Each structure stands twice: as structure tokens, then as C-alpha cells.
Amino acid sequence: MRAIWKGAIAFGLVNVPVKVYSATEDHDISLHQVHNADGGRIRYQRRCEVCSQVIDYSDIEKAYEEDGRTVVLSKDELKSIPAENSHEIEVVQFVPSEQLEPMMFEKSYYLEPDSKSPKAYVLLRKALEDTDRVAIVQFALREKTRLGALRIKDDVLVLQSLLWPDEVREVNFPALDTSIRISAQEREMSAALVESMAADFEPASFTDEYQVQLRQLIEAKLEQGESLDTEETFGAEAGEGGKGEVIDLMEALKRSLDRKRGAESGADTKEADADDDGAHEGGDGKAPARGTSRAKASEGKETTAARKPAAKSTAKTAAAKSTAAKSGTAKAPAKSTTAKSTGAKSTAAKSTGTKSSAARARKGA
């Protein structure tokens, strides 16, 4: 890391020299703009609207405009502001941490001792630990006077810049002024849902899915070029969002609870395994009541019966057992009240040595 600023914490008459480092960084994949016709890079130029010339950064000054009047401020004039020249982080208060509004937090910085002896640094850290308080400080950084909070993280002093009170917008939503009745059952159900999802916060367990999928898209495009198939890359459901349907609040809470409890108990997995076993095992000879049987013949080809929903079975016949034995895992019902004659014909045509069984099936239908 590279220090972005040097200064000293003024803790009463105690001076604590420190170096300031940015504590956070952006992990987003960097993209730039190009012309979609030829892929040429798009560049932005600083062009003067009066003379139309492209201006070097060194020739640019800052200005303020009000009521049609413009005041140009040179770099030297801006540097002459006393606060800009201050390299002091002044401690002005020690407050309980719960009194800080999280919305006011802006950016975090690590503070490293910048002296031969870090005794004053450690003393300030111990003072914060012993009193269980946060130091409110004022400092100037990058042409702005800032408010900040000084706290401890892993034995390191961390400076968190705060927004000024007038930088946090006031909010007024008329909809919240309406009297809303929440039933006791709804409150109990929502509390139960919260409890079912309660856990200790572990940041490392979360992933920036967009950046992962963006990297996946880039790698697929590098490999496949313009023949890229996004459905193949992300799956057929890529890009599908919620339907936004409005449902009953109690019903939504109940479904959420059922889903959470089901996931925890593994009920969904067990049901899926049971359905899969019923469709592929040939032990009891029973056809599944619902679903699709995808049996493969011994030659490795799917039969027509494997692509159609299985019908309810009313009896077991020797012909059905024979068909199941030859197809490997398929269990075709001998008689069905809902099976179509075309399905029986197709099965008979594709199953070797079962013509007599097909004839009985047609008579039964």
C-alpha cells in the first residue's frame, strides 16, 4: 500500500504522527467504451467551448458561477486556504459508538504510526479500548474539511470519514403516514421467518455474483467469439427476473417459512431422490403416478415411452415385466386408462420381440 497523506493526531497535548492509507479498494472488472461498428476505443477530450481547442490538464483552473457571474480560482489561491494546509487530525470528542449514524460513514483509512516510537499511537488505542468510545475528529483531505470517527480494528487505528449533517438528505414519504394495521399473526409469522434466517455475519461467505458472471462472460467470449451463446454460458433461464406478482402477505410469509424449513431439513433433496429412484429403479415394477420416465434401451437409445408422461398403472403383466427387463430401467405399465394408442404402437415398434404384448395392450386400451 502507498500512503496518501501524512499528518498527526492531536490528542490533547499528545501528538501522534501517522501515515494515512486507503483501507478499501474496488474489485470491479474494469471496462472501457468502444465504437460498436469497428471496436475503436472512445476517448474523452477536455475541449474549450469558446476556442474549441483541446486543453491540457495543467492549463485548467476551477471556477464558481452564480447569477451569471463566474469566479475563476487558481490552484495557488485554493492552496492558500488555511484548512487545506493543515495536516492535523484533531480529536474533538469521545462518544459512544452507538450514537453514530451508519448512513454518515463515507470512506475508511488505515493509520500507521509514523515515528521511531509508536508509544503515543498505542496509548491512544488503549484509551479507546479502555473507555469503549469512538473519537470524533476533524481533518482536511483533498481540498475538503472532513468530519471523522477514529476507531480500532485488529489493533490498528482506523479513520472513517463522515458526511456532514447537511449532506444527508431529509426524507418524507407520505405513504408511511398512512395508518397500517398489522395483525398479531403476521407479526408472529415475520418474527419466525427472521429467526429461521438468523446467523452471525461472515462477510467472507458472500460473493459478488455479478463480477463472477462477468468474468465468465468475458472468458466465454474470448473462446467463442461472435458465436457466443449466452444461454449455453449461463443456462436457459439467464436474464429472467421476477414476475412481480402481488400475493397475499400471509401466504408469502408462510411460503417463505416452508421453503426455509424445507431447505434446512433436506426435504427437497429427499423428494427429488425419491422421484428419481421411482423413475429409474426396476425393483417393484410400479410406474410413477406423475412425472416423466426417461428410460434408455440396452442399445443406448431413448424410447418414445421414455419421453411421455407415465400413466397410472392398474395391473402388472408379464408383458410389462418383459419390456422393463429388456429396456434396462424402464417400467412400462401393462394397462393404462389414459395411455394413447400411438404411444403403445410406438413402444411395440421399437421393442424387439414384444409384438404379442403390444397386441394385448391395444386390446386393453
Side-chain angles (χ1 to χ4, degrees):
M1 292 190 295
R2 183 175 62 87
I4 63 171
W5 189 81
K6 287 186 178 183
I9 302 172
F11 172 37
L13 296 179
V14 178
N15 201 44
V16 187
V18 292
K19 293 180 181 179
V20 179
Y21 300 83
S22 291
T24 59
E25 60 185 359
D26 190 353
H27 69 191
D28 290 356
I29 296 173
S30 179
L31 302 176
H32 57 258
Q33 296 179 326
V34 297
H35 184 195
N36 60 5
D38 53 24
R41 182 78 176 264
I42 301 299
R43 303 284 185 180
Y44 290 93
Q45 297 178 325
R46 295 176 291 270
R47 189 178 297 276
C48 175
E49 65 178 18
V50 175
C51 64
S52 299
Q53 292 184 359
V54 177
I55 309 302
D56 292 334
Y57 184 76
S58 59
D59 294 329
I60 296 176
E61 304 288 4
K62 294 185 177 180
Y64 176 78
E65 185 175 348
E66 183 178 4
D67 297 332
R69 297 179 61 192
T70 301
V71 177
V72 178
L73 301 171
S74 68
K75 295 180 180 65
D76 291 337
E77 289 171 337
L78 289 172
K79 288 181 179 179
S80 69
I81 298 176
E84 169 66 15
N85 296 318
S86 174
H87 282 254
E88 184 177 83
I89 303 173
E90 181 187 4
V91 177
V92 293
Q93 283 183 331
F94 289 94
V95 302
S97 59
E98 61 268 17
Q99 292 183 0
L100 292 176
E101 169 56 54
M103 190 177 292
M104 296 181 67
F105 290 128
E106 188 178 22
K107 188 171 175 58
S108 299
Y109 303 91
Y110 289 131
L111 302 184
E112 178 190 18
D114 188 26
S115 62
K116 293 181 180 179
S117 173
K119 185 174 182 178
Y121 182 98
V122 174
L123 176 62
L124 176 56
R125 189 187 70 196
K126 290 293 185 182
L128 293 175
E129 289 176 342
D130 295 342
T131 59
D132 193 23
R133 287 180 177 261
V134 174
I136 300 299
V137 301
Q138 286 186 313
F139 63 103
L141 179 64
R142 292 173 177 168
E143 299 180 355
K144 185 176 179 180
T145 303
R146 303 169 187 265
L147 192 64
L150 201 60
R151 61 173 74 239
I152 304 167
K153 182 183 184 300
D154 301 330
D155 292 336
V156 175
L157 291 178
V158 175
L159 175 62
Q160 292 180 284
S161 60
L162 303 175
L163 296 172
W164 293 100
D166 60 353
E167 292 180 313
V168 179
R169 293 178 175 176
E170 294 185 3
V171 62
N172 180 24
F173 296 142
L176 296 179
D177 295 333
T178 307
S179 179
I180 303 295
R181 182 183 178 276
I182 304 295
S183 67
Q185 188 178 6
E186 288 171 332
R187 294 184 66 174
E188 291 174 2
M189 191 76 74
S190 61
L193 178 59
V194 170
E195 187 61 31
S196 70
M197 299 174 69
D200 291 328
F201 179 55
E202 297 179 0
S205 65
F206 296 91
T207 305
D208 188 341
E209 295 293 345
Y210 180 84
Q211 295 301 317
V212 172
Q213 293 168 5
L214 176 58
R215 173 61 64 185
Q216 183 182 354
L217 178 64
I218 291 172
E219 292 176 353
K221 189 66 180 284
L222 287 172
E223 180 179 348
Q224 302 175 29
E226 295 304 321
S227 63
L228 173 71
D229 185 347
T230 56
E231 288 192 358
E232 182 181 345
T233 303
F234 297 116
E237 297 181 359
E240 293 184 0
K243 297 180 180 179
E245 56 183 310
V246 179
I247 58 178
D248 180 73
L249 182 57
M250 279 298 297
E251 181 65 19
L253 289 170
K254 185 177 182 300
R255 288 183 187 178
S256 300
L257 271 173
D258 291 343
R259 179 182 299 177
K260 182 64 179 176
R261 289 168 178 168
E264 290 177 350
S265 63
D268 294 341
T269 304
K270 291 180 181 179
E271 289 175 6
D273 291 341
D275 291 342
D276 188 66
D277 292 339
H280 295 286
E281 289 183 6
D284 56 9
K286 294 182 181 179
R290 295 179 183 177
T292 302
S293 175
R294 297 185 179 179
K296 291 185 179 179
S298 58
E299 295 82 5
K301 297 180 179 181
E302 287 187 359
T303 65
T304 303
R307 295 191 183 96
K308 294 181 176 291
K312 293 184 179 179
S313 178
T314 57
K316 302 177 187 175
T317 64
K321 293 179 180 178
S322 176
T323 304
K326 291 184 178 183
S327 61
T329 57
K331 299 190 281 272
K335 294 181 182 181
S336 173
T337 57
T338 59
K340 295 182 181 179
S341 60
T342 56
K345 290 177 181 178
S346 178
T347 305
K350 292 188 178 183
S351 302
T352 307
T354 58
K355 293 181 180 180
S356 59
S357 300
R360 292 192 190 97
R362 286 196 294 272
K363 289 180 180 181

